[in-house]
Amino acid sequence: EGALKLAKRHTGRTGLVSALNSYHGSTHGALSITGSEGFKNSYRPLLPGVAHLRYNELADLQLITHDTAAVILETVQGEAGVRLPQPGYLPAVRQRCTEVGALLVLDEIQCGFGRTGTQWAFEQFGVVPDILVCAKGMGGGMPIGAFISSPEIMVGFQTNPILGHCTTFGGHPVSCAASLATLQVIQEENLLAGVAAKAARLRTGLVHPAIREVRNCGLLMAVEFDSFEVLKPIIDRALAEEGILTDWFLFCDNSLRIAPPLTITEAEIDAAVTGLLRAIQ
Ligand SMILES: Cc1ncc(COP(=O)(O)O)c(C=O)c1O
């Protein structure tokens, strides 16, 4: 909500462009840009002036125009089933935004805070957003989220009116302390350096004729099966018999989610792989 308002305030425009199969949240603004009619239909009317592009389709960048306030994308699409940007895609989006004066907002609520092996996923794809949105891993389990931008853009919220975006619990000291501690642990325990090897260990173990594909960006991973009908009993067994907490994705119901804490050990990975293979078998 804050990122959308800030982009409107900064550009003086109202158009928004986001991706099909994106998920950005349940509130009216976030729901408006979420790329699934099924999720939105019962709550219309929502925000006007929203266009949806196909993620990774360069031809659709023409939807970004001089009326666009912001283009909002997940750097790596989460609920679409872990879809990575193809080489050159995000730089092309960045270039189009800069050309027409639209702000690029990257939603890293799922892929940020180290999950992909760098602090931010966008570091791996050659772009820098104008506004960055994060939450989830940010609090190490405590509730906190943020939208981050430069002082030149943020200043829009300071005047006319003042308090352009405030909330009752914004900046809550306990959540902020938890987030700071999370950052410290990530740095002191050098957790980012271990992400690629941990992901590789999972991928090496997760080999089975029923597995069609494994997609991942660091420890954000999707394991694809033929169909939901094949996957659902596997998930049920993983939960009930193996003690493995997993599910499928909102917009990709043939894929199993793997998103462990960055602190997961090699022994825990091996136990998870063994349990999942048993559940598949
Ligand atoms: C990519 C992404 N953006 C936004 C959200 C919404 O976050 P919240 O539920 O904290 O509003 C989620 C939640 O799953 C998400 O995965």
Side-chain angles (χ1 to χ4, degrees), residues 23-25 74 107 109-110 136:
Y23 182 76
H24 297 290
E74 296 161 85
D107 177 341
I109 286 177
Q110 216 170 116
K136 292 202 195 291

Side-chain angles (χ1 to χ4, degrees), residues 131-156:
I131 304 176
L132 174 67
V133 187
C134 55
K136 292 202 195 291
M138 182 182 184
M142 292 292 283
I144 188 167
F147 61 105
I148 300 167
S149 190
S150 60
E152 295 74 38
I153 295 176
M154 275 293 185
V155 76

Side-chain angles (χ1 to χ4, degrees), residues 150-195:
S150 60
E152 295 74 38
I153 295 176
M154 275 293 185
V155 76
F157 276 155
Q158 283 180 3
T159 53
N160 193 26
I162 58 162
L163 301 178
H165 193 77
C166 64
T167 59
T168 303
F169 292 120
H172 192 284
V174 176
S175 288
C176 288
S179 186
L180 194 56
T182 302
L183 267 180
Q184 278 164 355
V185 168
I186 288 174
Q187 284 165 10
E188 282 163 16
E189 298 186 13
N190 206 10
L191 290 180
L192 301 187
V195 167

